[in-house]
Amino acid sequence: MTKQLTGYVGTYTKSESEGVYKFTLDLEQPFITEVSPVAKLDNPTYVTVSRDNNFLYAVSKEGDNGGVTAFSIDSATHELKKLNSLAQGGSPPCHVSVKSDNSVVVTANYHTKQIVSYLTNADGSLKEVADIAEHDGSGPHERQEKPHMHYAGFSPDEKYVIAIDLGSDTITSYAIDHGKLTKQQVFNAPEGSGPRHIVFAPNGQYAYVMTELSSEVLTLSYNAQTGEFKQVDKIKAIPPHHQTVNDGSAIHISNDGQFVYVANRGHNSIALFKVEADHKLSLVEWKATEGDWPRDFVLTPDNRYLVASNQKSGTLTLFSRDQQTGKLTLVQPGMIAPESVCVKFLND
């Protein structure tokens, strides 16, 4: 049995952070140790690890340009070696995903309104920009003055790239072929909700979306043939008595598809929902993240633990997870990870 897991943290580099950090989760303790910089990079706020654990891709900023930086992962030490970067004019993206065969990388850019696809080389380096899809539209909220692309990832069968626009309350399904993006379907989320991130149920027939502006979780049915979404339900992710600012952030689902977790920035909590027989969600509990502004979190591959990243307090919080009830138990708060935004583990 694996006794240690390696994780990576994407960060802002506005004050103390140096770039991408690496950490170790000792499963025997359990305890997070050895949080240390592993790649110097400007604002690598989101990172993703290839399914085969050979590569890590990070959004990045280079002067006045923004794009993606590719790294190889040493199989023994899990250290990173920079392969190359590709950048365009404007702010860096806020989300990055890689196809399971490592052939295509896609990004979403909050500021430039774009979804960008990149082709890769056999060694994992970035080859070229394959396509750019630019969005338009707006919404009723003061932060929805224009499109704000917040997520670009692959459908379970990788037939589509799913693009989420917080600015216009839309989720767009693009057919993807050798990096070329062709718009197929557009789902309109509730006005002013500001959809942010999505996860698919293991059966691929349902998906759950966390909204940033309305702090809700949307339950959607999904047609894998056409890429079409339809809303089934929605549920609030914060308590009714919470009146101050809250921005919904990350969303993840357990391997067995029985529980959905979302993070609340402001309420500073992880909300746990049970997936019912009709695929709708019911609230189980809120768990404080013991830090400020949980921008992201991740379940370990075996789902026994959860690590939350608190951006404003610059800390990681470790929870153990009950496999039957889904509930979280605090194990270790306050592990320093400066300006932490995104957290990812190597895959099983």
Side-chain angles (χ1 to χ4, degrees), residues 55 57 70-71 83-84 102 105 120-126:
F55 309 108
Y57 298 92
F71 297 89
L83 298 173
N84 70 336
N102 305 330
V105 171
T120 61
N121 295 305
D123 66 354
S125 61
L126 299 160

Side-chain angles (χ1 to χ4, degrees), residues 269-285:
S269 66
I270 302 290
L272 163 60
F273 298 93
K274 183 174 180 3
V275 179
E276 302 293 354
D278 58 2
H279 305 285
K280 296 179 181 180
L281 302 181
S282 61
L283 177 71
V284 176
E285 67 172 358

Side-chain angles (χ1 to χ4, degrees), residues 203-242:
N203 65 15
Q205 298 174 7
Y206 289 85
Y208 301 92
V209 174
M210 182 59 176
T211 68
E212 178 168 330
L213 302 180
S214 65
S215 301
E216 294 171 316
V217 186
L218 310 179
T219 300
L220 309 179
S221 64
Y222 176 68
N223 185 321
Q225 297 303 310
T226 65
E228 182 182 16
F229 292 97
K230 292 182 179 178
Q231 185 171 322
V232 174
D233 196 26
K234 67 177 179 178
I235 188 170
K236 206 72 174 173
I238 52 174
H241 57 75
H242 183 81

Side-chain angles (χ1 to χ4, degrees), residues 11-247:
T11 71
Y12 278 110
T13 54
K14 296 177 180 179
S15 57
E16 300 177 24
S17 172
E18 298 181 38
V20 180
Y21 284 67
K22 180 169 73 76
F23 68 92
T24 300
L25 172 55
D26 186 321
L27 297 173
E28 290 193 330
Q29 297 295 328
F31 212 74
I32 294 174
T33 63
E34 304 172 16
V35 180
S36 58
V38 70
K40 289 193 175 183
L41 206 59
D42 198 359
N43 280 356
T45 56
Y46 207 89
V47 302
T48 192
V49 175
S50 65
R51 189 170 295 180
D52 60 11
N53 293 330
N54 287 332
F55 309 108
L56 180 144
Y57 298 92
V59 304
S60 55
K61 182 176 184 291
E62 296 185 358
D64 294 330
N65 297 327
V68 184
T69 300
F71 297 89
S72 62
I73 301 174
D74 187 284
S75 60
T77 66
H78 303 147
E79 295 292 317
L80 301 183
K81 178 183 178 182
K82 182 178 177 180
L83 298 173
N84 70 336
S85 296
L86 283 182
Q88 300 84 43
S91 301
C94 64
H95 190 274
V96 60
S97 300
V98 59
K99 196 175 179 185
S100 62
D101 65 0
N102 305 330
S103 63
V104 180
V105 171
V106 293
T107 63
N109 197 304
Y110 186 88
H111 296 286
T112 68
K113 309 183 290 186
Q114 294 176 337
I115 301 296
V116 181
S117 63
Y118 302 81
L119 297 181
T120 61
N121 295 305
D123 66 354
S125 61
L126 299 160
K127 181 179 181 180
E128 62 188 4
V129 172
D131 206 356
I132 298 176
E134 187 161 306
H135 287 240
D136 55 25
S138 59
H141 192 279
E142 62 182 4
R143 289 179 51 199
Q144 294 181 308
E145 79 290 353
K146 67 175 185 178
H148 289 300
M149 309 310 300
H150 222 309
Y151 174 97
F154 295 91
S155 61
D157 60 6
E158 299 187 323
K159 181 179 176 181
Y160 297 99
V161 166
I162 310 302
I164 301 185
D165 180 6
L166 180 149
S168 67
D169 297 316
T170 57
I171 300 174
T172 303
S173 301
Y174 288 96
I176 185 163
D177 183 19
H178 294 89
K180 295 298 180 182
L181 301 167
T182 304
K183 184 186 293 186
Q184 297 292 311
Q185 301 281 347
V186 178
F187 167 78
N188 293 298
E191 287 192 358
S193 63
R196 178 185 172 94
H197 280 193
I198 188 171
V199 291
F200 283 88
N203 65 15
Q205 298 174 7
Y206 289 85
Y208 301 92
V209 174
M210 182 59 176
T211 68
E212 178 168 330
L213 302 180
S214 65
S215 301
E216 294 171 316
V217 186
L218 310 179
T219 300
L220 309 179
S221 64
Y222 176 68
N223 185 321
Q225 297 303 310
T226 65
E228 182 182 16
F229 292 97
K230 292 182 179 178
Q231 185 171 322
V232 174
D233 196 26
K234 67 177 179 178
I235 188 170
K236 206 72 174 173
I238 52 174
H241 57 75
H242 183 81
Q243 300 299 324
T244 55
V245 170
N246 189 79
D247 288 352

